Amino acid sequence: MEEKHLAYCWIARGERVLFLRRAAGVFRAGQWELPGGTVEPGEPDETTAVREAAEETGLAVRVTAELARDEWPDIAGRDLRIHAVVHGVEEIGTREVVLNPAEHDDFAWLTRAQARELPLPDHFRRLLDR
């Protein structure tokens, strides 16, 4: 069985956390997620989290903690196991969020309760319930 590794960022401003909405025409279009993406071969997942935050939001961050790990079978039925880690991060400076429109079309700073009301992949819903 193949494996895919993902790394995400929990970027908080006070009690609110940054969520991004997947753009039309991409995998899971319309669903909300944390900034993050695929770990490249040989890349530490902490490095992936920082890189993806910059690519997807324009924010500079540094990893402060590992918050959660999860895994699940591929939702498309492929012989693939997904492994994900969510890192707590802190922003380096204060910047405005600038989305990569090829991936996301909206963002919001949300409380856990607000995020639970959105269409979220199951692994993010499980994270919010911890």
Side-chain angles (χ1 to χ4, degrees), residues 11-13 18 50-62 90-99 107 109:
I11 305 172
R13 289 183 179 171
L18 180 61
V50 170
R51 175 179 53 77
E52 290 285 345
E55 290 174 2
E56 294 181 353
T57 70
L59 300 178
V61 301
R62 77 175 130 259
E90 64 182 17
E91 290 183 78
I92 301 169
T94 303
R95 299 180 183 178
E96 293 298 317
V97 174
V98 178
L99 297 178
F107 73 93
W109 293 93

Side-chain angles (χ1 to χ4, degrees), residues 8-12 15-22 31-36 56-57 59 86 97 99 104-121 123-125 127-128:
Y8 295 100
C9 291
W10 183 270
I11 305 172
E15 296 296 315
R16 297 182 182 276
V17 176
L18 180 61
F19 282 84
L20 312 177
R21 186 175 64 194
R22 301 284 291 171
Q31 290 193 333
W32 291 78
E33 64 183 359
L34 297 173
E56 294 181 353
T57 70
L59 300 178
V86 177
V97 174
L99 297 178
H104 300 98
D105 62 8
D106 199 6
F107 73 93
W109 293 93
L110 305 169
T111 65
R112 284 178 184 258
Q114 291 169 323
R116 283 186 190 99
E117 300 300 315
L118 298 174
L120 296 169
H123 57 285
F124 292 122
R125 195 161 302 285
L127 175 66
L128 290 172

Side-chain angles (χ1 to χ4, degrees), residues 60-71:
V61 301
R62 77 175 130 259
V63 172
T64 58
E66 181 180 306
L67 299 181
R69 285 189 177 266
D70 201 350
E71 62 180 67

Side-chain angles (χ1 to χ4, degrees), residues 7 39-40 42-49:
V39 176
E40 299 296 333
E43 182 180 46
D45 55 68
E46 296 90 346
T47 302
T48 302

